Amino acid sequence: NALEEIGKVDIEKKLKNIDVEKTAKKIEEVCEKYNYNELVKQYDDVSAKIDTEKTNWRSKLNNAKDVDEQEKIAKDYENWYAKSEIRQAQDKLSKKIIDFNKEQRKAISEALRFEDGGKIQIEVKPNSVLAKNVKEANELLAEVINKDYLPDFMPVAKGRSGRAKNSGNYLILEGADTVYTHIHETMHWLERVNPKMLANSKAFLEYRTKDETAEKLRKITSNTGYTSDEITKKDKFFSPYCGKQYDYATEIMSMGVQRLFEHPKEFMNEDREYFNFVIANLQGKL
């Protein structure tokens, strides 16, 4: 029972004794190999040139003498944009970055795998718009979670509109959601079905936010998409959403594992304690 586990974890003591250096070293090697700062710089430089061109076209449009001239300028702009070598270069760089990120995710998954890792298999209809990202999420999470944490049943991905969430045994998603969102919601499901993982996450959150006052997410983020009852203790987490308050859930593993795949280098360098906790909790070392 999760309620019996919560409150019994001496997380400070456990954090001092965990050893995830072998895995951390592998992730560090991945980060060194997949350093795409130069690629991003090239993309930003090309994008800046395109923005300059667009500004020039807008200026021409605003200074047009009449509607006929405006229509001609608009048509000329469309022709320019369709044939522009700069825009084509931007598309190529964008594809390279997308492919690069996918390769990095795969390498992070391989670095996280360990002997006692279990097989996770999110279920989805083969013809669903969710199928592609579900397939990748299954591959990325394979053997990175302690097999003793996995129940006999697996989560089911279903389509929806609005914010992603999980309910019962369902991951409520939509086609536009990234593979990171699929991983995020899968970790919510796993935390809910595994009392030990939830207890560790609750203990870590309480340890990190001790003596903090809860604040409304919409106030501290200026994001009105959050409801007035969504509150957080922001700590020094990479996002204040990590500290969101629930009775029997947390965002600790969902946000943490997502960060591990999305921005591993930043996570490792900026919050090593949280980084270590996520790996240790995945591997069942807490």
Side-chain angles (χ1 to χ4, degrees):
N1 188 307
L3 293 177
E4 294 176 356
E5 296 285 341
I6 294 172
K8 294 182 179 180
V9 180
D10 185 349
I11 199 66
E12 289 186 71
K13 181 179 179 181
K14 289 190 172 189
L15 286 170
K16 291 176 183 177
N17 294 328
I18 60 173
D19 180 12
V20 296
E21 286 308 305
K22 184 177 179 180
T23 302
K25 181 64 177 175
K26 289 181 181 178
I27 293 174
E28 191 172 13
E29 290 171 357
V30 171
C31 294
E32 290 175 2
K33 179 179 179 181
Y34 290 88
N35 183 341
Y36 59 116
N37 291 340
E38 181 57 35
L39 199 60
V40 172
K41 183 180 182 301
Q42 290 176 30
Y43 180 86
D44 289 343
D45 289 345
V46 169
S47 297
K49 291 177 181 178
I50 290 177
D51 289 342
T52 299
E53 289 291 338
K54 286 182 177 179
T55 299
N56 293 336
W57 281 104
R58 279 194 294 269
S59 178
K60 290 179 183 179
L61 197 63
N62 292 334
N63 293 324
K65 292 180 294 185
D66 51 38
V67 174
D68 289 341
E69 187 174 0
Q70 283 183 337
E71 289 179 353
K72 182 180 183 306
I73 292 170
K75 187 174 181 179
D76 288 344
Y77 168 76
E78 289 176 4
N79 289 334
W80 167 82
Y81 191 77
K83 300 175 182 178
S84 170
E85 291 182 3
I86 301 174
R87 199 270 304 163
Q88 291 172 12
Q90 185 190 44
D91 288 348
K92 288 179 181 177
L93 286 166
S94 178
K95 186 178 185 306
K96 281 185 180 180
I97 291 172
I98 290 170
D99 291 343
F100 196 97
N101 285 342
K102 187 171 183 178
E103 288 302 312
Q104 184 190 52
R105 289 195 296 271
K106 183 179 178 182
I108 289 294
S109 173
E110 291 171 355
L112 287 169
R113 291 175 185 176
F114 66 112
E115 187 177 346
D116 289 328
K119 188 79 171 178
I120 195 162
Q121 196 71 28
I122 306 166
E123 297 178 14
V124 67
K125 291 180 179 179
N127 60 346
S128 169
V129 293
L130 306 177
K132 181 180 177 181
N133 282 341
V134 164
K135 181 177 183 293
E136 186 180 354
N138 282 334
E139 291 170 353
L140 293 176
L141 294 174
E143 299 174 33
V144 306
I145 302 165
N146 191 300
K147 62 187 178 185
D148 293 335
Y149 277 175
L150 299 174
D152 294 333
F153 59 92
M154 289 287 114
V156 179
K158 292 184 67 175
R160 58 86 179 157
S161 60
R163 285 170 63 178
K165 63 180 180 178
N166 66 98
S167 177
N169 195 41
Y170 295 107
L171 313 180
I172 314 299
L173 304 157
E174 68 175 14
D177 286 328
T178 67
V179 68
Y180 301 118
T181 301
H182 288 227
I183 290 171
H184 181 108
E185 296 305 328
T186 302
M187 296 312 300
H188 270 308
W189 167 82
L190 184 61
E191 193 180 72
R192 187 174 63 252
V193 299
N194 190 281
K196 186 175 181 181
M197 179 172 280
L198 174 59
N200 290 335
S201 297
K202 290 285 283 185
F204 183 75
L205 178 60
E206 289 170 8
Y207 154 69
R208 285 284 293 257
T209 61
K210 185 180 179 181
D211 299 327
E212 279 196 44
T213 301
E215 303 174 77
K216 291 185 178 182
L217 268 166
R218 66 189 309 172
K219 180 180 179 181
I220 62 175
T221 63
S222 300
N223 183 348
T224 55
Y226 293 122
T227 59
S228 60
D229 62 344
E230 290 184 279
I231 60 173
T232 189
K233 293 183 178 180
K234 61 183 181 181
D235 185 53
K236 60 178 182 181
F237 294 126
F238 63 87
S239 166
Y241 196 77
C242 296
K244 187 178 176 183
Q245 301 292 294
Y246 302 91
D247 289 332
Y248 306 118
T250 77
E251 292 288 344
I252 291 298
M253 291 302 290
S254 291
M255 292 292 286
V257 176
Q258 180 178 340
R259 184 74 166 176
L260 197 54
F261 279 104
E262 197 168 10
H263 298 292
K265 185 175 182 179
E266 291 85 347
F267 195 18
M268 174 184 284
N269 292 339
E270 295 168 8
D271 196 341
R272 189 57 179 262
E273 183 178 60
Y274 189 3
F275 172 89
N276 287 350
F277 169 83
V278 168
I279 294 173
N281 208 15
L282 284 174
Q283 296 183 346
K285 292 184 175 180
L286 293 170

PDB file of all heavy atoms in Angstrom, residues 206-221:
ATOM      1  N   GLU A 206       9.713  16.175  -0.558  1.00  0.00           N
ATOM      2  CA  GLU A 206       9.593  16.797   0.767  1.00  0.00           C
ATOM      3  C   GLU A 206      10.959  17.234   1.288  1.00  0.00           C
ATOM      4  O   GLU A 206      11.086  18.295   1.909  1.00  0.00           O
ATOM      5  CB  GLU A 206       8.922  15.817   1.731  1.00  0.00           C
ATOM      6  CG  GLU A 206       7.438  15.613   1.431  1.00  0.00           C
ATOM      7  CD  GLU A 206       6.824  14.466   2.215  1.00  0.00           C
ATOM      8  OE1 GLU A 206       7.503  13.921   3.113  1.00  0.00           O
ATOM      9  OE2 GLU A 206       5.661  14.102   1.920  1.00  0.00           O
ATOM     10  N   TYR A 207      11.974  16.438   1.014  1.00  0.00           N
ATOM     11  CA  TYR A 207      13.344  16.771   1.424  1.00  0.00           C
ATOM     12  C   TYR A 207      13.827  18.041   0.725  1.00  0.00           C
ATOM     13  O   TYR A 207      14.418  18.927   1.347  1.00  0.00           O
ATOM     14  CB  TYR A 207      14.251  15.581   1.102  1.00  0.00           C
ATOM     15  CG  TYR A 207      15.701  15.885   0.864  1.00  0.00           C
ATOM     16  CD1 TYR A 207      16.546  16.308   1.903  1.00  0.00           C
ATOM     17  CD2 TYR A 207      16.253  15.756  -0.415  1.00  0.00           C
ATOM     18  CE1 TYR A 207      17.891  16.585   1.670  1.00  0.00           C
ATOM     19  CE2 TYR A 207      17.593  16.021  -0.643  1.00  0.00           C
ATOM     20  CZ  TYR A 207      18.406  16.441   0.403  1.00  0.00           C
ATOM     21  OH  TYR A 207      19.730  16.716   0.168  1.00  0.00           O
ATOM     22  N   ARG A 208      13.550  18.149  -0.557  1.00  0.00           N
ATOM     23  CA  ARG A 208      14.023  19.292  -1.330  1.00  0.00           C
ATOM     24  C   ARG A 208      13.229  20.572  -1.052  1.00  0.00           C
ATOM     25  O   ARG A 208      13.744  21.679  -1.235  1.00  0.00           O
ATOM     26  CB  ARG A 208      13.972  18.965  -2.823  1.00  0.00           C
ATOM     27  CG  ARG A 208      15.080  18.034  -3.286  1.00  0.00           C
ATOM     28  CD  ARG A 208      16.403  18.756  -3.397  1.00  0.00           C
ATOM     29  NE  ARG A 208      16.386  19.747  -4.453  1.00  0.00           N
ATOM     30  CZ  ARG A 208      16.948  19.583  -5.656  1.00  0.00           C
ATOM     31  NH1 ARG A 208      17.599  18.469  -5.931  1.00  0.00           N
ATOM     32  NH2 ARG A 208      16.885  20.539  -6.558  1.00  0.00           N
ATOM     33  N   THR A 209      11.990  20.435  -0.646  1.00  0.00           N
ATOM     34  CA  THR A 209      11.137  21.621  -0.480  1.00  0.00           C
ATOM     35  C   THR A 209      10.796  21.899   0.984  1.00  0.00           C
ATOM     36  O   THR A 209       9.846  22.628   1.272  1.00  0.00           O
ATOM     37  CB  THR A 209       9.832  21.459  -1.288  1.00  0.00           C
ATOM     38  OG1 THR A 209       9.122  20.307  -0.808  1.00  0.00           O
ATOM     39  CG2 THR A 209      10.132  21.309  -2.770  1.00  0.00           C
ATOM     40  N   LYS A 210      11.571  21.323   1.882  1.00  0.00           N
ATOM     41  CA  LYS A 210      11.319  21.505   3.306  1.00  0.00           C
ATOM     42  C   LYS A 210      11.269  22.995   3.661  1.00  0.00           C
ATOM     43  O   LYS A 210      12.116  23.777   3.238  1.00  0.00           O
ATOM     44  CB  LYS A 210      12.420  20.820   4.119  1.00  0.00           C
ATOM     45  CG  LYS A 210      12.182  20.847   5.616  1.00  0.00           C
ATOM     46  CD  LYS A 210      13.319  20.138   6.336  1.00  0.00           C
ATOM     47  CE  LYS A 210      13.119  20.165   7.846  1.00  0.00           C
ATOM     48  NZ  LYS A 210      14.243  19.504   8.566  1.00  0.00           N
ATOM     49  N   ASP A 211      10.270  23.387   4.421  1.00  0.00           N
ATOM     50  CA  ASP A 211      10.074  24.769   4.903  1.00  0.00           C
ATOM     51  C   ASP A 211       9.657  25.746   3.801  1.00  0.00           C
ATOM     52  O   ASP A 211       9.543  26.947   4.049  1.00  0.00           O
ATOM     53  CB  ASP A 211      11.342  25.306   5.595  1.00  0.00           C
ATOM     54  CG  ASP A 211      11.737  24.483   6.814  1.00  0.00           C
ATOM     55  OD1 ASP A 211      10.829  23.968   7.490  1.00  0.00           O
ATOM     56  OD2 ASP A 211      12.948  24.330   7.058  1.00  0.00           O
ATOM     57  N   GLU A 212       9.427  25.257   2.581  1.00  0.00           N
ATOM     58  CA  GLU A 212       8.938  26.154   1.518  1.00  0.00           C
ATOM     59  C   GLU A 212       7.425  26.297   1.601  1.00  0.00           C
ATOM     60  O   GLU A 212       6.714  25.388   2.022  1.00  0.00           O
ATOM     61  CB  GLU A 212       9.297  25.603   0.133  1.00  0.00           C
ATOM     62  CG  GLU A 212      10.719  25.886  -0.289  1.00  0.00           C
ATOM     63  CD  GLU A 212      10.922  25.675  -1.780  1.00  0.00           C
ATOM     64  OE1 GLU A 212      10.066  26.119  -2.567  1.00  0.00           O
ATOM     65  OE2 GLU A 212      11.941  25.055  -2.148  1.00  0.00           O
ATOM     66  N   THR A 213       6.941  27.452   1.160  1.00  0.00           N
ATOM     67  CA  THR A 213       5.505  27.704   1.096  1.00  0.00           C
ATOM     68  C   THR A 213       5.008  27.432  -0.308  1.00  0.00           C
ATOM     69  O   THR A 213       5.628  27.854  -1.287  1.00  0.00           O
ATOM     70  CB  THR A 213       5.194  29.168   1.469  1.00  0.00           C
ATOM     71  OG1 THR A 213       5.689  29.421   2.787  1.00  0.00           O
ATOM     72  CG2 THR A 213       3.692  29.427   1.435  1.00  0.00           C
ATOM     73  N   ALA A 214       3.903  26.729  -0.411  1.00  0.00           N
ATOM     74  CA  ALA A 214       3.339  26.417  -1.721  1.00  0.00           C
ATOM     75  C   ALA A 214       2.809  27.682  -2.387  1.00  0.00           C
ATOM     76  O   ALA A 214       2.245  28.560  -1.731  1.00  0.00           O
ATOM     77  CB  ALA A 214       2.223  25.387  -1.583  1.00  0.00           C
ATOM     78  N   GLU A 215       3.003  27.767  -3.709  1.00  0.00           N
ATOM     79  CA  GLU A 215       2.547  28.908  -4.496  1.00  0.00           C
ATOM     80  C   GLU A 215       1.744  28.416  -5.690  1.00  0.00           C
ATOM     81  O   GLU A 215       1.902  27.286  -6.135  1.00  0.00           O
ATOM     82  CB  GLU A 215       3.738  29.728  -5.001  1.00  0.00           C
ATOM     83  CG  GLU A 215       4.666  30.233  -3.912  1.00  0.00           C
ATOM     84  CD  GLU A 215       5.897  30.908  -4.501  1.00  0.00           C
ATOM     85  OE1 GLU A 215       5.774  32.063  -4.961  1.00  0.00           O
ATOM     86  OE2 GLU A 215       6.954  30.262  -4.530  1.00  0.00           O
ATOM     87  N   LYS A 216       0.913  29.297  -6.220  1.00  0.00           N
ATOM     88  CA  LYS A 216       0.132  28.930  -7.398  1.00  0.00           C
ATOM     89  C   LYS A 216       1.026  28.920  -8.636  1.00  0.00           C
ATOM     90  O   LYS A 216       1.771  29.864  -8.873  1.00  0.00           O
ATOM     91  CB  LYS A 216      -1.028  29.909  -7.595  1.00  0.00           C
ATOM     92  CG  LYS A 216      -2.099  29.808  -6.525  1.00  0.00           C
ATOM     93  CD  LYS A 216      -3.272  30.717  -6.827  1.00  0.00           C
ATOM     94  CE  LYS A 216      -4.359  30.563  -5.757  1.00  0.00           C
ATOM     95  NZ  LYS A 216      -5.548  31.406  -6.052  1.00  0.00           N
ATOM     96  N   LEU A 217       0.923  27.855  -9.415  1.00  0.00           N
ATOM     97  CA  LEU A 217       1.736  27.729 -10.620  1.00  0.00           C
ATOM     98  C   LEU A 217       1.440  28.852 -11.615  1.00  0.00           C
ATOM     99  O   LEU A 217       2.348  29.383 -12.254  1.00  0.00           O
ATOM    100  CB  LEU A 217       1.478  26.376 -11.289  1.00  0.00           C
ATOM    101  CG  LEU A 217       2.400  25.231 -10.874  1.00  0.00           C
ATOM    102  CD1 LEU A 217       1.829  23.896 -11.327  1.00  0.00           C
ATOM    103  CD2 LEU A 217       3.799  25.419 -11.439  1.00  0.00           C
ATOM    104  N   ARG A 218       0.188  29.219 -11.750  1.00  0.00           N
ATOM    105  CA  ARG A 218      -0.159  30.240 -12.733  1.00  0.00           C
ATOM    106  C   ARG A 218       0.421  31.598 -12.355  1.00  0.00           C
ATOM    107  O   ARG A 218       0.705  32.419 -13.224  1.00  0.00           O
ATOM    108  CB  ARG A 218      -1.676  30.328 -12.909  1.00  0.00           C
ATOM    109  CG  ARG A 218      -2.456  30.821 -11.707  1.00  0.00           C
ATOM    110  CD  ARG A 218      -3.962  30.670 -11.897  1.00  0.00           C
ATOM    111  NE  ARG A 218      -4.406  31.256 -13.154  1.00  0.00           N
ATOM    112  CZ  ARG A 218      -5.637  31.126 -13.641  1.00  0.00           C
ATOM    113  NH1 ARG A 218      -6.521  30.384 -12.988  1.00  0.00           N
ATOM    114  NH2 ARG A 218      -5.985  31.705 -14.765  1.00  0.00           N
ATOM    115  N   LYS A 219       0.663  31.805 -11.054  1.00  0.00           N
ATOM    116  CA  LYS A 219       1.222  33.079 -10.608  1.00  0.00           C
ATOM    117  C   LYS A 219       2.727  33.136 -10.856  1.00  0.00           C
ATOM    118  O   LYS A 219       3.240  34.116 -11.387  1.00  0.00           O
ATOM    119  CB  LYS A 219       0.933  33.295  -9.118  1.00  0.00           C
ATOM    120  CG  LYS A 219       1.492  34.604  -8.570  1.00  0.00           C
ATOM    121  CD  LYS A 219       1.174  34.769  -7.102  1.00  0.00           C
ATOM    122  CE  LYS A 219       1.774  36.072  -6.565  1.00  0.00           C
ATOM    123  NZ  LYS A 219       1.495  36.242  -5.111  1.00  0.00           N
ATOM    124  N   ILE A 220       3.445  32.084 -10.465  1.00  0.00           N
ATOM    125  CA  ILE A 220       4.904  32.153 -10.569  1.00  0.00           C
ATOM    126  C   ILE A 220       5.410  31.892 -11.990  1.00  0.00           C
ATOM    127  O   ILE A 220       6.544  32.229 -12.318  1.00  0.00           O
ATOM    128  CB  ILE A 220       5.594  31.189  -9.581  1.00  0.00           C
ATOM    129  CG1 ILE A 220       5.230  29.737  -9.870  1.00  0.00           C
ATOM    130  CG2 ILE A 220       5.276  31.554  -8.163  1.00  0.00           C
ATOM    131  CD1 ILE A 220       5.982  28.763  -8.997  1.00  0.00           C
ATOM    132  N   THR A 221       4.538  31.304 -12.850  1.00  0.00           N
ATOM    133  CA  THR A 221       4.948  31.064 -14.234  1.00  0.00           C
ATOM    134  C   THR A 221       4.291  32.033 -15.217  1.00  0.00           C
ATOM    135  O   THR A 221       4.685  32.085 -16.385  1.00  0.00           O
ATOM    136  CB  THR A 221       4.584  29.637 -14.679  1.00  0.00           C
ATOM    137  OG1 THR A 221       3.154  29.485 -14.658  1.00  0.00           O
ATOM    138  CG2 THR A 221       5.237  28.603 -13.776  1.00  0.00           C
TER     139      THR A 221
END
